Amino acid sequence: YRVDRTVLTAPEMQAILAGLRSLDSVSGTRRYAQLMEKLSAGTGGLVPGGAHMLIDLSSWYKTSLPPKIECIQEAMEQHRTIQFTYFSPKGESVRTIEAYYLVFHWSSWYVWGFCLEKQGFRLFKLGRMMNLTKEETLFDPKPVQAPDLSSETVFPPSFEAKILFEPAMKWRIIDEFGIDTIEEQSDGKLLVTYQAFDKFSLFSWVLSFGNQAELAEPKNLRRELCELAAEISLKNKN
């Protein structure tokens, strides 16, 4: 089969090659590089200049991620279950799932599959998976839609939080929330209001700013955060 590349403009070909190049960052093989060579062979001046877009999808797990992705891809192609040890806020567990989608979202990789233990579809973060193996057990694929990865679905808000930041933290607020979320106060401090889904995640995030952030509301969580900070201080005195 021969692809008629004359229907593609130079920018379109560059976009295709950039996408394929990014997949090789997590494939653990040269399969996409070889595909790029096939697509670009004989193009002559169709793709002028070098690559102007570099995408690395490997995140922080450059060594451990590619073998996991390869294993999950093979399992999906062969309709075999996978098993792994999973670490979550609720503890450590061994899961067996039917994998259906590999997902790159929120700067991390996930697998969407049917968990045999929970008898339902779940999203698992690859970075939290250990001892991943492809099982011999075959499964009949279920009708499945792509997961709804909207923040409202995955992280449903449960309360409104207001945080005051020192002006020096403006760069980080813009980086994590966007400039439209900032309300500058008369004293120069920056107020951010957002819908939080979990108080412990909120606490760890506020504490990550050190003395540059103050939880203004809710008042009851403000007291809990003060107690937590006191405990942290006590543990680090000795």
Side-chain angles (χ1 to χ4, degrees), residues 129-185:
M129 295 165 57
M130 302 297 168
N131 307 318
L132 173 65
T133 57
K134 181 178 63 173
E135 303 291 285
E136 293 300 318
T137 306
L138 296 171
F139 66 88
D140 293 323
K142 296 177 174 57
V144 58
Q145 293 181 337
D148 179 2
L149 299 179
S150 62
S151 297
E152 294 76 13
T153 301
V154 181
F155 306 111
S158 56
F159 60 91
E160 185 176 85
K162 293 179 181 289
I163 305 101
L164 283 167
F165 297 92
E166 295 297 327
M169 291 294 101
K170 189 172 186 176
W171 66 271
R172 185 171 164 188
I173 301 170
I174 292 173
D175 185 40
E176 299 184 22
F177 282 90
I179 195 169
D180 294 337
T181 62
I182 299 173
E183 295 178 47
E184 192 161 345
Q185 306 299 290

Side-chain angles (χ1 to χ4, degrees), residues 73-85:
Q73 281 184 317
E74 290 178 2
M76 289 191 293
E77 292 167 359
Q78 299 168 9
H79 304 310
R80 296 184 183 276
T81 58
I82 57 173
Q83 188 178 85
F84 51 88
T85 303

Side-chain angles (χ1 to χ4, degrees), residues 83-139:
Q83 188 178 85
F84 51 88
T85 303
Y86 196 65
F87 298 86
S88 73
K90 295 181 179 179
E92 177 182 343
S93 60
V94 176
R95 300 295 185 94
T96 302
I97 71 167
E98 302 169 358
Y100 288 93
Y101 286 102
L102 274 165
V103 181
F104 184 76
H105 201 53
W106 305 300
S107 302
S108 296
W109 281 93
Y110 301 81
V111 60
W112 174 255
F114 186 82
C115 178
L116 300 186
E117 177 186 345
K118 300 297 184 180
Q119 285 296 296
F121 285 93
R122 297 289 189 277
L123 193 67
F124 298 93
K125 195 172 187 177
L126 267 60
R128 297 181 189 169
M129 295 165 57
M130 302 297 168
N131 307 318
L132 173 65
T133 57
K134 181 178 63 173
E135 303 291 285
E136 293 300 318
T137 306
L138 296 171
F139 66 88

